[in-house]
Amino acid sequence: MRVLLTGGAGVIGSHVAVELIGAGHQVEIVDDLSNSVESVIGRIGQVAGVTPTFYKLDVRDEAGLTAVFEEHRPDAVIHLAGLKAVGESVAQPLRYWDVNLNTTITLLRVMAAQGCHRVVFSSSATVYGTPEELPLTETSLTGVGISNPYGRTKYANEQLLVDAAGADPGLGVTLLRYFNPVGAHPSGLLGETPQGVPNNLMPYVAQTAAGKRAKVMVFGDDYDTVDGTGVRDYIHVVDLAKGHVAAIAATNPGVHIFNLGTGQGVSVLQLIAAYSRAVGRDIPYEIVARRAGDIAECYCSPAKAKADLGWQTELTIDQACADSWRYEQGAR
Ligand code: UD1
């Protein structure tokens, strides 16, 4: 298939591009480089053997996006372009709503005009808010107790896409709800280089291991979990990327929803221990107060993705830590 990847220069997009090319698809990338660098495109080529065509473009630019569609006539779109920093979304809600919703609205308009009928959307476990049940399944309650504007824009995007599919019986929409993506490409060439202080746990642990941060701040050890620290479902970014390849093939008319996770909960202290094993020495940490908006536990049932897509995770948290550490050591 010819697949257009929005946000394809980002950490998840670059891994998705590699897996798509490996599966024989033709890939075009649009990205405005607001949180990525153009050199990633060449690295995708180094890893995958084929360099995708790249357009520096804001997906809200309808004329620009139309021109890309006219040139490549994609069979499917994987829509990853969007803003994703939780703290920033609290400070800049209008920017988050504008970018995260208007990219999708523009994309759906152009797809309809150009006769493209398949879209896979990058959603998040954040749509489940405070989980009512664990493990989370695709029918678990969504939309209640989402603690920040970023999360609410993900939920709103899901509703927008469901409404679009409701109005167009030919449109196929797949919503992929990512749990906590971690790790990097085993080649050491693709990964995440956070701007400023990392918000998420594994990048912070990586920078602590590298001596860029003094110690990891563990946000609370009084949750009702295995060791009192927060539990999440950390999924290796290469496994996550393969989930997208499985999803495009299955994006038939209608709405399809899948959790992409391992199904296993890992605590903050367990993740620090796994990273310490990868590095070969203990990583210093300190227990501090809980972070506002955090939940105790979040992990999924990946059974539906396994049954319907034939996809399941293959890589462990230890492999994610080893790959993250390899990337961190080569990080420029
Ligand atoms: C966060 C976002 C979520 C988003 C996801 C993207 C919040 C409330 N949620 O999820 O909407 O989709 O990132 O990956 O921000 N932790 C520490 N010390 C740190 C950082 C984190 O102890 O320096 C703990 C947290 O309390 C949590 C776990 O590590 O228990 C994971 O945190 P994080 O990586 O930020 O992800 P989430 O909060 O699950």
Side-chain angles (χ1 to χ4, degrees), residues 82-137:
L83 301 174
K84 58 149 200 172
V86 172
E88 190 180 67
S89 79
V90 175
Q92 303 174 20
L94 300 186
R95 180 168 163 243
Y96 270 67
W97 279 93
D98 179 13
V99 172
N100 287 0
L101 270 297
N102 285 320
T103 46
T104 310
I105 291 169
T106 306
L107 174 65
L108 288 170
R109 270 202 204 116
V110 173
M111 284 176 61
Q114 298 292 323
C116 178
H117 305 293
R118 293 174 194 229
V119 59
V120 174
F121 177 67
S122 162
S123 190
S124 167
T126 194
V127 301
Y128 294 114
T130 304
E132 280 207 321
E133 55 181 1
L134 290 168
L136 288 156
T137 71

Side-chain angles (χ1 to χ4, degrees), residues 15 180-186 190-192 202-203 205-206 233-240 262 266 271 274-279 313-328:
H15 288 82
N180 288 57
V182 290
H185 198 270
L190 300 171
E192 187 173 18
M202 193 177 287
V205 174
D233 185 337
Y234 296 98
I235 173 170
H236 195 299
V237 64
V238 170
D239 277 333
L240 186 78
T262 66
V266 170
L271 187 142
Y275 216 100
S276 297
R277 286 194 292 277
V279 175
T313 60
E314 292 165 351
L315 302 168
T316 63
I317 188 75
D318 285 280
Q319 285 167 302
C321 292
D323 291 334
S324 161
W325 180 229
R326 187 179 302 108
Y327 183 77
E328 178 65 35

Side-chain angles (χ1 to χ4, degrees), residues 178-222:
Y178 308 160
F179 281 67
N180 288 57
V182 290
H185 198 270
S187 64
L189 289 171
L190 300 171
E192 187 173 18
T193 311
Q195 319 272 329
V197 183
N199 299 304
N200 295 116
L201 178 63
M202 193 177 287
Y204 202 104
V205 174
Q207 293 196 357
T208 306
K212 296 177 188 165
R213 313 265 161 216
K215 57 191 163 187
V216 181
M217 302 297 168
V218 176
F219 298 146
D221 69 348
D222 56 353

